Amino acid sequence: MTSTSPPDIDEYRRTARAWLESRTAGLPPDPGLDDARAFMADLYDAGYSGITWPVEYGGQGLSAAEERAFQQAASDFTLPVGVFGIGLGMCGPTLLSIGTEEQKRRYLPPLLRGEEIWCQMFSEPGAGSDVASLQTRAVRDGDHWVVNGQKVWTSVARQADRGLLIARTDPDVPKHQGITMFVIDMHDPGVTVRPLRDMTGESHFNEIFFDDVRVPAENVVGEVNGGWSAAVTTLLHERVSIGMGAARTERPASFAALRRAAAERGLLADPAVRERLVDLYLRERAFDLLNAKMSQEVKAGIQPGARGSVVKLLLADLTLDGADAASEILGPDTVAHDDEGRIARALAWGPGMALGGGTNEIMRNIIGDRVLGLPREPQVDRAVPFKDLKVGTQAKEADR
């Protein structure tokens, strides 16, 4: 088939693929954090980190066409960049959107080079679905803010050097109006990170405690008490990033993986197995096509807005559907599959994808409200000062 890409883009893709083949050939089977940092540094030096980010902030200043070409080349490789995903897909884009000039110049180049890992600290034990009910406090003290409170379900917090935090800075106004976003140094005194083990047997998440952590005033992102708007910016990037990141890697319970597993067991002649695989393939293909369209729009400067929730919801449903297909096709072999336990872990991880980044129910509320224009649910707590609300009785759906 003849390529429709401009010759220079085809050459860019070929060059990127050749570089990836050469660089990944030397990676150990199970890359550690030092390997990941070294890979990001080499990726940056080769010109493949921050491809569309502005040159003045460490990016390459290229177009969406080069970004798509690199993603196409990278789709055939397993790259040790997962620990940088939150920084590159959520925190960095937030700073690009609303950060100060000083923040962009200070934080973005080290992020692109893999020198600093970032996390995102929004959810709390009493503020998950209704994240605007957060109780972590930040009180102004001269040129600093003093932070006390707790966050939970935070990915890569143990490895992170910095993070974006939202905290309550004014309890005398309605809950959405008294929140501020900060850049936090995760190595500062008073920051304690503890891992949380999930049912995969691993610790994908962490809880974080803040005890009189002093944060410089220049670390405010956006406006003081304008943190809800800043958080929405991050969440929109998060939902698109989750979906697009998944599109670049093969899911353990994907069509390709389950077809291989079924073939190993001589099950492909079974009409029921074939029908289940075809159904999964069609769902994956539809998801990938939507993802490609959204990716092109984002790289062209068209923000997805609430449509990012569509990508997140479809990925969560696809993950659960893949887990169901694995159990139907492989039966008891699912938990004893010898592919390093990847399919068994995918089953255990499936429900987590329907929770992280906003539950499926909340995604549907957002889509109904902001994409389809359906009437909003009553939210009586939006006009009440936060200090007058009883914790746990706030509106349960969808401020996110």
Side-chain angles (χ1 to χ4, degrees):
M1 183 172 63
T2 302
S3 172
T4 58
S5 301
D8 56 333
I9 293 299
D10 285 338
E11 179 59 27
Y12 185 91
R13 186 184 300 106
R14 285 192 293 268
T15 302
R17 183 176 182 81
W19 184 88
L20 288 166
E21 286 178 343
S22 174
R23 182 58 179 82
T24 56
L27 284 173
D30 187 17
L33 185 57
D34 290 342
D35 299 309
R37 289 185 184 275
F39 182 87
M40 277 301 302
D42 289 347
L43 194 71
Y44 179 86
D45 291 340
Y48 299 124
S49 179
I51 292 173
T52 60
W53 290 23
V55 173
E56 59 267 31
Y57 307 131
Q60 305 301 322
L62 300 178
S63 72
E66 283 86 1
E67 175 74 18
R68 289 195 299 274
F70 178 79
Q71 289 178 1
Q72 290 165 357
S75 64
D76 292 330
F77 300 87
T78 300
L79 307 182
V81 298
V83 72
F84 303 102
I86 292 174
L88 294 171
M90 305 171 201
C91 301
T94 298
L95 292 176
L96 275 173
S97 297
I98 60 175
T100 65
E101 186 69 17
E102 292 75 13
Q103 289 169 347
K104 295 174 186 177
R105 293 186 181 276
R106 163 60 186 88
Y107 296 123
L108 297 182
L111 169 59
L112 291 175
R113 292 193 295 263
E115 296 170 1
E116 294 182 346
I117 297 170
W118 285 65
C119 65
Q120 170 227 43
M121 297 168 283
F122 287 11
S123 296
E124 298 184 3
S129 297
D130 182 22
V131 73
S133 293
L134 63 90
Q135 297 186 74
T136 294
R137 290 290 308 275
V139 178
R140 187 68 183 257
D141 181 20
D143 293 333
H144 288 76
W145 291 83
V146 180
V147 178
N148 286 278
Q150 179 185 1
K151 296 293 179 177
V152 74
W153 310 124
T154 305
S155 302
V156 305
R158 282 170 294 158
Q159 297 88 0
D161 303 290
R162 304 191 184 278
L164 290 182
L165 167 84
I166 52 174
R168 187 157 308 282
T169 46
D170 187 353
D172 296 322
V173 297
K175 61 182 182 179
H176 293 84
Q177 300 174 23
I179 296 171
T180 302
M181 178 179 284
F182 300 90
V183 172
I184 297 293
D185 187 331
M186 300 299 289
H187 305 296
D188 272 349
V191 179
T192 302
V193 180
R194 297 177 184 171
L196 296 171
R197 188 175 299 277
D198 58 47
M199 64 183 178
T200 67
E202 301 176 5
S203 297
H204 293 98
F205 305 108
N206 306 270
E207 57 182 347
I208 308 170
F209 298 88
F210 302 92
D211 297 296
D212 292 331
V213 178
R214 297 184 65 81
V215 180
E218 60 264 27
N219 283 23
V220 170
V221 179
E223 301 293 331
V224 173
N225 293 330
W228 183 250
S229 175
V232 168
T233 298
T234 305
L235 291 170
L236 293 176
H237 287 299
E238 175 187 38
R239 285 153 190 166
V240 174
S241 177
I242 288 173
M244 292 179 179
R248 295 193 291 270
T249 59
E250 181 183 296
R251 293 172 290 278
S254 66
F255 162 79
L258 294 181
R259 186 187 183 282
R260 287 196 299 269
E264 291 169 1
R265 288 158 174 75
L267 299 175
L268 290 182
D270 185 328
V273 171
R274 294 173 66 87
E275 182 178 358
R276 193 65 178 89
L277 286 172
V278 168
D279 179 68
L280 182 59
Y281 173 82
L282 292 174
R283 295 191 64 174
E284 285 187 2
R285 185 60 177 153
F287 173 77
D288 290 342
L289 289 172
L290 173 63
N291 228 320
K293 180 178 185 296
M294 296 283 282
S295 178
Q296 291 175 8
E297 290 180 355
V298 169
K299 300 307 179 184
I302 302 173
Q303 295 303 314
R307 290 183 302 142
S309 295
V310 177
V311 179
K312 166 62 173 63
L313 175 63
L314 289 178
L315 174 60
D317 280 346
L318 184 58
T319 302
L320 290 170
D321 187 56
D324 288 343
S327 62
E328 292 172 17
I329 293 170
L330 301 179
D333 281 353
T334 301
V335 296
H337 188 59
D338 59 1
D339 185 20
E340 300 178 352
R342 295 178 74 236
I343 292 181
R345 286 198 298 274
L347 265 68
W349 177 248
M353 184 58 71
L355 297 173
T359 66
N360 283 7
E361 291 75 17
I362 287 178
M363 294 302 102
R364 291 187 176 96
N365 277 0
I366 292 173
I367 293 167
D369 172 23
R370 303 178 197 173
V371 178
L372 302 179
L374 300 177
R376 298 193 67 171
E377 292 186 354
Q379 294 178 316
V380 297
D381 59 341
R382 279 184 170 264
V384 180
F386 179 78
K387 66 180 182 180
D388 295 334
L389 294 174
K390 293 183 179 180
V391 175
T393 63
Q394 294 91 344
K396 294 181 181 179
E397 294 295 338
D399 303 64
R400 293 184 76 180

